[in-house]
Amino acid sequence: MLKLPGLIDPHVHLREPGATHKEDWDSGTAAALAGGFTMVLAMPNTKPPIFDAGTLDLALSAAQQKARCDYAQYLGAGPDNAEVAAALADKAASLKMYLDMTFGQLRLDDMSLWMPHFEKYPGQYPIVAHSESRSMAAAILFAAIHDRPVHIAHISLREEVLLIKTAKEKGIKVTCEVCPHHLFLTADSPLPQGEGLGVRVNGRSEVRPRLATQADVDALWENLDVIDCFATDHAPHTVEEKDSDNPPPGFPGLETALPLLLTAADRGRLTMNDLIAKMYTNPKKVFSLPDQPETWVEVDETVEYEIHASEQFTRCGWTPFEGWKVKGKVRKVVLRGKTAFEDGKILVERGYGQNIRK
Ligand SMILES: [Zn+2]
């Protein structure tokens, strides 16, 4: 049995308020515990989006009633909320800026709208940027100009990891995360197989950033030392939505990240020290997160099994890794002295999770 610290996922979408048929604070944090995560940072592109005191309260009161693991809620950067967001910084995970098109309506097109956020948001928290390719370069330039930390969400491309490597060498305060799906899938990967898979399967591969090429995936693995965190970007949509004519982008990921990465460790693609650094030590440091006393995860690193959506706690009902063979299973999760998950069962009630920015 392998003992790990309680893992931290700095990038999840729990869909509450507004889309609880996809996920909510209850099902999403149950999925987190089942995946070995004891702390999650929730993104603000909900309905309504979280961008001021009122909407932050809306998300946090739902979380307070329902969350089973510890959490914090991001604020979204809008065209005119820089002052309001900065004043709320100590109550939030951090600030998320959408610089490219994805799910939701928070994109900031004009770079002059980025400026007040980079000026005002407190420098002890990194501004998290959804910024792909050249807009990532622009976000890094803003970090350099304002001499403040920026954290690049879900990098996926060779050009991105190489630019971040150079920026770090120059002393720019940039950190980054990569998602398991960008490490294990390419645009050419076989489409997910599963029960009830209809004819329109392409929607299942829709994700932002898009799945990339083998050369991009290889570059991420070759530059693993540049990558600070593994984040799931857990972004559940139902099977019906994914298989519809207008499939929304996003994959679930909370319950598959650790087994996939443990399997990669077993095959010698990364070390257990890499895994702990990128799923605990680094996110804790990057986001100034508190200790969780008496918190750990027990993993049986020898057991081999197949991933099946039918065994997951996420409400979305599918996974891009359906049928994948993995090695390493979460047996038990202890959160603040209490067994929160054991052998497939959630053992803490709704509301046990605490807001770590309280
Ligand atoms: Zn996301």
Side-chain angles (χ1 to χ4, degrees):
M1 205 68 85
L2 193 68
K3 194 173 167 185
L4 300 174
L7 304 178
I8 299 168
D9 190 345
H11 190 150
V12 301
H13 300 265
L14 299 184
R15 306 302 189 205
E16 186 170 13
T20 53
H21 66 287
K22 299 174 196 274
E23 202 78 290
D24 70 358
W25 280 95
D26 178 353
S27 60
T29 53
L33 287 171
F37 295 98
T38 54
M39 193 189 293
V40 294
L41 307 186
M43 285 296 166
N45 59 337
T46 47
K47 278 182 197 161
I50 309 308
F51 65 96
D52 62 10
T55 47
L56 182 61
D57 274 353
L58 200 62
L60 290 179
S61 64
Q64 191 183 8
Q65 288 167 44
K66 294 185 177 180
R68 296 176 195 261
C69 74
D70 293 349
Y71 59 87
Q73 170 67 51
Y74 281 96
L75 293 159
D80 49 17
N81 72 335
E83 230 151 274
V84 167
L88 291 167
D90 288 335
K91 293 180 177 175
S94 196
L95 182 74
K96 176 74 180 287
M97 294 185 82
Y98 289 90
L99 310 183
D100 289 298
M101 208 50 179
T102 185
F103 186 70
Q105 276 118 35
L106 279 170
R107 186 169 66 152
L108 294 177
D109 281 322
D110 186 328
M111 280 191 282
S112 66
L113 299 174
W114 309 1
M115 203 86 77
H117 290 290
F118 274 84
E119 279 166 6
K120 295 194 170 96
Y121 207 76
Q124 71 264 39
Y125 306 114
I127 290 179
V128 178
H130 178 139
S131 58
E132 302 177 33
S133 186
R134 291 174 195 190
S135 43
M136 188 202 80
I140 293 175
L141 175 65
F142 270 68
I145 290 171
H146 294 279
D147 190 29
R148 60 151 303 134
V150 65
H151 179 80
I152 308 297
H154 42 51
I155 67 164
S156 63
L157 303 176
R158 179 175 179 273
E159 62 176 15
E160 292 172 347
V161 74
L162 295 181
L163 183 64
I164 289 171
K165 183 180 177 173
T166 309
K168 283 185 171 190
E169 285 164 3
K170 297 286 181 194
I172 298 173
K173 292 170 181 159
V174 57
T175 54
C176 69
E177 67 191 30
V178 69
C179 306
H181 51 265
H182 291 125
L183 287 173
F184 295 104
L185 298 172
T186 71
D188 298 323
S189 294
L191 290 163
Q193 302 292 311
E195 261 179 73
L197 205 57
V199 258
R200 286 191 298 273
V201 288
N202 286 336
R204 304 256 183 138
S205 59
E206 283 294 335
V207 68
R208 297 293 176 278
R210 289 187 169 83
L211 297 176
T213 67
Q214 190 61 51
D216 290 308
V217 171
D218 292 345
L220 296 177
W221 281 105
E222 281 159 19
N223 292 283
L224 222 46
D225 57 328
V226 178
I227 291 158
D228 300 275
C229 308
F230 293 140
T232 66
D233 192 11
H234 178 78
H237 300 286
T238 65
V239 172
E240 293 71 28
E241 290 166 335
K242 293 299 279 183
D243 291 348
S244 72
D245 288 331
N246 191 18
F251 292 165
L254 278 167
E255 289 159 272
T256 47
L258 182 58
L260 289 167
L261 290 162
L262 286 168
T263 307
D266 183 63
R267 290 176 188 164
R269 302 191 78 186
L270 74 162
T271 65
M272 285 310 295
N273 282 345
D274 290 333
L275 189 147
I276 292 166
K278 294 172 203 307
M279 302 182 88
Y280 171 69
T281 324
N282 294 348
K284 189 165 183 276
K285 195 166 115 194
V286 168
F287 294 93
S288 304
L289 301 170
D291 285 325
Q292 292 178 297
E294 290 183 79
T295 297
W296 70 88
V297 177
E298 292 174 21
V299 165
D300 184 344
E301 74 273 39
T302 61
V303 64
E304 295 181 65
Y305 61 103
E306 282 186 8
I307 291 172
H308 292 300
S310 58
E311 292 163 16
Q312 298 194 336
F313 287 88
T314 174
R315 197 162 283 162
C316 72
W318 75 286
T319 163
F321 302 104
E322 182 70 36
W324 279 43
K325 288 182 176 56
V326 287
K327 188 174 179 186
K329 194 170 194 129
V330 177
R331 283 289 179 215
K332 185 174 177 177
V333 178
V334 177
L335 172 55
R336 286 180 279 103
K338 203 166 169 180
T339 301
F341 174 88
E342 191 166 22
D343 292 329
K345 289 194 178 66
I346 300 290
L347 299 174
V348 282
E349 66 276 20
R350 289 155 51 110
Y352 181 72
Q354 289 185 358
N355 180 0
I356 57 90
R357 291 286 196 235
K358 201 140 192 170

